[in-house]
Amino acid sequence: MLPNARIVSFEPLPDCFEKLKRNMSKAKNFAAFNYGLGDAAGEFPFERNAFSMSSSFLKMTRVHTTSFPFTAQTQSIKVRVERLDDIGPSLGLTEPFLAKIDVQGFEDRVLRGGQQTLRRAAVMFVEMSFEALYEGQPLFDSICRQVHDMGFTYKGNLDQIPCPQSGRVLQANGIFMRTENDRTIANRVRTG
């Protein structure tokens, strides 16, 4: 949709990072960094899941492993973490930009560690859970409040993930637009 867009990605798992670089090798405006984002810089334990998309800094709950039995195997490793606000100035982000945060229950920490940078986004997609899939993760209402307090308005969601057994919605990607002037920002995103 936006062939000239610049894409900046963060991936803490070394093998997934290498796959990401291979998959995006032909993208001319792409940069990838082999670390995760959070609210503190350093090296932290990370729950590497056999199903890599379920890997997280947080341990899984029974709701997660019962709903998705193929995610039951994890291995604890250490990964590097940076605060987005610490590295943001070196990224050369230009407005308008879209931020997508999908970090398996760690969204509140990424938001806290990147408030200054993320407040400049025109649009944010943030993964939110309606039931705790990871220990200590904030749920939908808490994330909505946090993003709202940063100056964004909730506009709906995409990509709901239901429980295969019951059909109840477990997760969705929330769409948030900077509140200052939704119409102006939407126009800038379309023409930018």
Side-chain angles (χ1 to χ4, degrees):
M1 286 178 54
L2 301 168
N4 297 319
R6 183 162 176 263
I7 301 170
V8 178
S9 293
F10 302 91
E11 173 53 59
L13 292 171
D15 59 320
C16 293
F17 176 72
E18 291 303 322
K19 184 176 180 180
L20 172 65
K21 286 196 317 185
R22 278 193 310 275
N23 289 346
M24 297 297 289
S25 63
K26 292 187 173 134
K28 58 184 172 182
N29 293 321
F30 176 74
F33 298 90
N34 190 199
Y35 49 81
L37 296 176
D39 58 356
E43 216 173 79
F44 296 94
F46 190 79
E47 300 298 312
R48 163 70 173 169
N49 195 276
F51 181 67
S52 64
M53 291 188 290
S54 288
S55 299
S56 175
F57 286 101
L58 306 174
K59 293 184 183 296
M60 288 185 182
T61 64
R62 186 164 162 71
V63 171
H64 194 299
T65 55
T66 301
S67 299
F68 308 102
F70 56 89
T71 65
Q73 292 184 329
T74 60
Q75 171 190 5
S76 188
I77 63 169
K78 292 258 188 185
V79 299
R80 180 177 158 201
V81 177
E82 297 290 343
R83 292 178 69 254
L84 182 58
D85 282 345
D86 293 342
I87 59 156
S90 68
L91 298 176
L93 300 175
T94 56
E95 296 180 34
F97 68 87
L98 177 144
K100 182 176 189 300
I101 304 170
D102 182 347
V103 290
Q104 310 318 110
F106 214 61
E107 288 76 12
D108 62 328
R109 281 79 155 192
V110 173
L111 291 165
R112 273 198 307 268
Q115 283 193 40
Q116 294 171 4
T117 305
L118 294 169
R119 284 178 201 267
R120 295 175 41 219
V123 178
M124 277 200 285
F125 289 170
V126 183
E127 185 176 70
M128 301 179 292
S129 292
F130 301 98
E131 294 185 42
L133 300 176
Y134 297 90
E135 294 177 7
Q137 84 171 110
L139 298 181
F140 177 87
D141 290 340
S142 178
I143 294 293
C144 275
R145 249 188 325 277
Q146 189 177 6
V147 178
H148 181 266
D149 290 347
M150 291 172 64
F152 290 80
T153 304
Y154 175 68
K155 296 295 184 178
N157 60 23
L158 293 171
D159 306 323
Q160 295 185 146
I161 298 173
C163 172
Q165 293 84 10
S166 69
R168 69 189 187 279
V169 177
L170 297 173
Q171 283 183 327
N173 285 312
I175 305 166
F176 297 88
M177 288 189 76
R178 196 169 355 152
T179 305
E180 67 185 37
N181 185 335
D182 292 347
R183 183 172 289 139
T184 301
I185 290 170
N187 287 336
R188 284 172 46 203
V189 170
R190 274 196 293 276
T191 59

